[in-house]
Amino acid sequence: MKDAPIEPKAITASPQQLDLLNHLQARSIGARGWFEEMVEKSDPAFRFVAVRFHGLHVEQVQRLTSLITAVGGDADPSDNMSAALKRAGLSVRAVFGDIDGDMMDRIRESEAKVLAGFTEVIKAMKPSRYRDELVQMQAELQDLLQAVQGEERSLPETPKEE
């Protein structure tokens, strides 16, 4: 007699884990909206930075949506209030100044919040393929930040008034 195949055990998230995942997704959605606006409004020489971050956040919002659904949650990848506020703030900034290399400090601050969200969720999750996916996404964002930081010297920057 043949042994019956072992069914993989479904992985579900606790309410706390789902809250953390939803919060991380909301941060990523806000970042996606911010960078989308930045792509539109930035100086041509800086646009490549915004495009790279926007592309990563578009992909990661999709992956987070799939992950949340897979572990039993309801995910909504549409823009949220944070995205709308970030877009509005960037639009106002564009009226009064350039969106260029001097944005890097703001980018690092914003992305640090997203990275902290990944850290919170990763700590709360038990080892699984979903946790591994989160670790991979966090590393991708860290790698992009590091790559852009290495290129930062060549970014145009508006001289600061003294």
Side-chain angles (χ1 to χ4, degrees):
M1 185 166 117
K2 256 186 163 177
D3 291 331
I6 298 174
E7 292 293 317
K9 184 179 174 190
I11 299 170
T12 57
S14 70
Q16 179 209 12
Q17 291 168 330
L18 286 172
D19 284 346
L20 290 170
L21 283 164
N22 286 323
H23 187 68
L24 172 60
Q25 184 190 36
R27 283 181 172 171
S28 292
I29 289 168
R32 178 188 66 189
W34 191 51
F35 284 110
E36 185 174 315
E37 189 75 11
M38 197 179 298
V39 166
E40 189 177 309
K41 307 257 190 249
S42 63
D43 288 347
F46 183 71
R47 190 164 289 125
F48 78 97
V49 172
V51 167
R52 290 168 74 184
F53 279 100
H54 178 253
L56 181 65
H57 285 292
V58 166
E59 178 188 334
Q60 289 192 346
V61 166
Q62 291 171 346
R63 290 164 68 187
L64 286 166
T65 300
S66 296
L67 192 152
I68 291 167
T69 302
V71 297
D74 287 323
D76 181 5
S78 57
D79 274 0
N80 55 23
M81 183 61 78
S82 174
L85 291 172
K86 286 183 174 203
R87 285 176 192 268
L90 198 61
S91 290
V92 169
R93 179 187 167 109
V95 169
F96 295 104
D98 293 330
I99 306 298
D100 54 20
D102 67 344
M103 284 294 293
M104 286 309 301
D105 287 339
R106 296 270 326 274
I107 290 171
R108 278 189 286 276
E109 289 170 15
S110 176
E111 296 303 318
K113 292 175 186 173
V114 177
L115 288 170
F118 274 111
T119 299
E120 287 180 70
V121 176
I122 290 166
K123 285 181 180 178
M125 301 280 290
K126 292 180 180 173
S128 68
R129 64 183 178 271
Y130 302 118
R131 185 177 185 275
D132 293 345
E133 179 80 4
L134 293 165
V135 169
Q136 181 182 0
M137 285 190 275
Q138 184 182 42
E140 290 167 359
L141 181 52
Q142 289 168 328
D143 289 348
L144 180 54
L145 278 165
Q146 192 170 28
V148 170
Q149 187 170 345
E151 299 164 355
E152 193 171 350
R153 288 179 292 280
S154 64
L155 295 175
E157 185 172 326
T158 304
K160 301 202 182 353
E161 295 180 20
E162 295 182 31

